[in-house]
Amino acid sequence: MTDFGLTRTGGALAATRRRLIIIGASGLIGRPLLAAALAEGRPAVGTYFANPAPGLVPFDLARQDLVEVFPELGPDDAVVLLGARKDANWVFANPLESQEINVDGALHAIRRANDAGARLVFASTEFVFDGVAGGYSESDIPNPSTLYAQQKVEVEQAIQSGGGSWAIARTGWTVGWERADTQCPVLNTYRSLLSPGAVMADDNMFTLTDVRDTATALLALADRSDSDVWHVAAAPPVVRTDLADWVMETSRQRARMGYERVRFSDIPYPEPRPERSWIVNHKAVQNLQITFAEPWRTVESKVRLLDAWFDSSQRLQGPPPHESQDS
Ligand SMILES: NC(=O)c1ccc[n+]([C@@H]2O[C@H](COP(=O)([O-])OP(=O)(O)OC[C@H]3O[C@@H](n4cnc5c(N)ncnc54)[C@H](OP(=O)(O)O)[C@@H]3O)[C@@H](O)[C@H]2O)c1
């Protein structure tokens, strides 16, 4: 057993509980991460960019200096860098603006954290892999096809060659539990299935993780001292059509739902998307003491919630609006 992240106090091993500075605490992963940290009595602060929330401080990666916002930043802190633009289509359409946030801003904040002796946890994506083989481990070499993933790889490489104490946490599709989680993949699938013309690829595979497990993993990574890459995702991977079928089988709205089965290559994306970039989680399961919820159970629980929201929105204002199936 390794003792990374553990310090000796009076002869016993105790985990280092760093203060968390969560960049992007107003997002799908940041909100439950901050809540989980505070719930366990850990000092934690978070930032927002465009969506203020009580207790969060404003911070723009592209325009502000991390040390100006957190002048006391030091070795007892872990900066969890979630702040980013993650919509691959938006990134592709806005290469300069996305570079400023996802790469230049991220690297500047990372340098500041490093200079202050703080630990860094950087959120990356399974999209860094080309998706030809599937089942990628931490030792596989990234080969990104989208600009969004290229930006993540650029930051990953700078972190890996930059020294300091760091963790790179790659994940896949993440299921949130709040109404504000408009990019939840189960929500988007549910909406697509209710809309005419929905298509689902039967050869597209990805991981699907309950965000509460993501938060648990990020807390564990914040407390370690080793510098390493981690795949933080549930297993087994999910086929796009299986996700659609699970939603339909579980939902009270199933009679109104439907889709056409297609090949992933039939779906027009502005740039090539990885077909099967799913990652394996053995290392995280073995070393972070995490039990990831089974994707099927996560979908079942989220659909129950969506059915309840759907019923209440039907009563108030009709069906929820359609959104892109691309999450
Ligand atoms: N969710 C997933 O399925 C998934 C999968 C793989 C990797 N990831 C990565 O995990 C991280 C967090 O994802 P998420 O799902 O929580 O994303 P999200 O819901 O889109 O939240 C993004 C966060 O970044 C903040 N942000 C946006 N622009 C910023 C800027 N210029 N300066 C500082 N902060 C800025 C947002 O603030 P406002 O909301 O206040 O504008 C928000 O707090 C991202 O780096 C993403 O690439 C996510």
Side-chain angles (χ1 to χ4, degrees):
M1 186 184 140
T2 63
D3 67 348
F4 291 125
L6 301 173
T7 52
R8 290 199 178 271
T9 52
L13 284 173
T16 306
R17 291 178 97 231
R18 297 183 173 89
R19 177 180 71 145
L20 286 199
I21 297 180
I22 303 168
I23 308 301
S26 50
L28 187 149
I29 297 175
R31 269 180 274 108
L33 175 62
L34 180 60
L38 296 174
E40 58 177 45
R42 173 198 295 263
V45 286
T47 75
Y48 70 92
F49 172 60
N51 295 297
L56 301 187
V57 293
F59 178 62
D60 180 356
L61 275 164
R63 313 249 173 282
Q64 282 177 284
D65 193 316
L66 190 63
V67 174
E68 280 170 20
V69 181
F70 299 104
E72 74 291 0
L73 182 68
D76 293 335
D77 296 327
V79 174
V80 183
L81 184 45
L82 305 174
R85 296 299 294 257
K86 69 173 183 188
D87 176 342
N89 286 349
W90 185 89
V91 169
F92 180 73
N94 299 275
L96 297 180
E97 203 180 329
S98 60
Q99 171 83 16
E100 274 183 7
I101 301 162
N102 290 357
V103 181
D104 304 343
L107 291 178
H108 193 261
I110 289 165
R111 266 194 302 277
R112 289 297 195 224
N114 216 344
D115 291 348
R119 180 162 170 81
L120 171 80
V121 180
F122 175 66
S124 188
T125 170
E126 64 186 16
F127 259 40
V128 299
F129 297 109
D130 57 24
V132 175
Y136 297 98
S137 74
E138 288 84 350
S139 57
D140 285 312
I141 307 296
N143 183 24
S145 63
T146 63
L147 180 59
Y148 163 65
Q150 286 162 16
Q151 292 177 343
K152 288 290 189 189
V153 170
E154 192 176 339
V155 176
E156 283 192 10
Q157 289 174 344
I159 292 169
Q160 286 171 302
S161 59
S165 167
W166 53 264
I168 292 168
R170 298 188 186 125
T171 192
W173 285 17
T174 309
V175 178
W177 302 98
E178 296 181 36
R179 281 185 185 262
D181 296 327
T182 55
Q183 292 309 308
C184 168
V186 180
L187 168 67
N188 285 345
T189 301
Y190 187 103
R191 283 174 160 160
S192 291
L193 291 169
L194 284 169
S195 306
V199 294
M200 304 284 163
D202 58 13
D203 54 349
N204 177 208
M205 288 175 81
F206 42 80
T207 60
L208 193 81
T209 306
D210 181 332
V211 72
R212 293 170 293 197
D213 295 335
T214 315
T216 304
L218 293 174
L219 285 177
L221 292 177
D223 285 345
R224 293 177 73 91
S225 305
D226 52 346
S227 294
D228 217 342
V229 180
W230 297 85
H231 285 181
V232 171
V238 174
V239 178
R240 191 75 172 92
T241 44
D242 285 347
L243 170 58
D245 292 343
W246 292 347
V247 172
M248 287 172 62
E249 284 162 19
T250 315
S251 175
R252 288 200 301 271
Q253 301 302 326
R254 74 179 72 88
R256 304 174 55 179
M257 291 177 163
Y259 71 90
E260 182 192 346
R261 189 175 283 261
V262 297
R263 305 299 283 176
F264 195 54
S265 56
D266 294 334
I267 301 177
Y269 288 112
E271 57 185 342
R273 291 281 177 101
E275 205 169 274
R276 286 181 294 269
S277 58
W278 60 279
I279 51 181
V280 291
N281 65 12
H282 309 157
K283 183 174 157 182
V285 169
Q286 283 166 15
N287 293 278
L288 304 180
Q289 281 79 49
I290 292 178
T291 308
F292 289 98
E294 283 178 40
W296 152 250
R297 293 286 168 215
T298 303
V299 173
E300 191 183 36
S301 303
K302 183 66 190 251
V303 170
R304 231 179 274 131
L305 195 59
L306 292 172
D307 275 350
W309 291 348
F310 185 91
D311 289 346
S312 62
S313 75
Q314 279 278 78
R315 276 197 300 276
L316 294 173
Q317 65 207 4
H322 170 70
E323 281 195 5
S324 156
Q325 70 155 337
D326 173 41
S327 48

